[in-house]
């Protein structure tokens, strides 16, 4: 037991782990020497879903641009319609009998 190689992992206090390494491995059973230990293949934590997917971000950008375009169009229409429909500024006044 004392002649076996030691685990090469670094502990929290900065020293090397003193546990014996597993046969054919450089780590002990607690630091990843066991069969099928460690992180799974591929980074499943990096998979994005929901609010932060590229499709959702693109959709929000599209909706934002449509709303900005609609707002500018409505401002242009309302600015043009105020001068055209204001009876004080128009030359022709409505002279229908009964309206005063």
């Amino acid at each position: 037991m004392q002649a076996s190689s030691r685990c090469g992992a670094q502990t929290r206090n900065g020293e090397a782990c003193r546990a014996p390494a597993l046969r054919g491995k450089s780590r002990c059973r607690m630091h990843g020497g066991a069969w099928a230990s460690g992180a799974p293949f591929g980074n499943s934590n990096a998979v994005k879903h929901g609010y932060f997917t590229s499709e959702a971000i693109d959709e929000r950008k599209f909706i934002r641009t449509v709303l900005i375009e609609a707002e500018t169009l409505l401002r242009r229409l309302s600015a043009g319609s105020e001068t055209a429909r204001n009876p004080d500024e128009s030359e022709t006044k409505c002279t229908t009998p009964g309206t005063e």
Side-chain angles (χ1 to χ4, degrees):
M1 180 81 166
Q2 290 189 359
S4 62
S5 62
R6 298 293 159 183
C7 178
Q10 186 176 3
T11 59
R12 290 182 185 178
N13 60 6
E15 298 174 359
C17 176
R18 290 183 249 157
L22 291 175
R23 200 175 314 128
K25 305 278 185 168
S26 62
R27 299 285 185 238
C28 67
R29 61 184 176 86
M30 295 171 282
H31 291 114
W35 182 83
S37 65
F41 291 106
N43 191 355
S44 61
N45 290 332
V47 176
K48 293 183 179 182
H49 62 280
Y51 191 76
F52 295 105
T53 58
S54 59
E55 292 87 14
I57 292 171
D58 291 340
E59 183 179 359
R60 288 193 302 272
K61 285 180 183 177
F62 175 73
I63 290 172
R64 197 175 308 126
T65 56
V66 168
L67 288 174
I68 290 170
E69 289 175 4
E71 185 178 348
T72 55
L73 178 65
L74 287 173
R75 284 185 183 176
R76 273 194 239 138
L77 288 175
S78 65
S81 64
E82 287 178 6
T83 57
R85 293 185 184 172
N86 193 349
D88 296 333
E89 294 180 8
S90 64
E91 296 175 10
T92 58
K93 292 187 178 180
C94 184
T95 56
T96 329
T99 59
E100 297 171 31

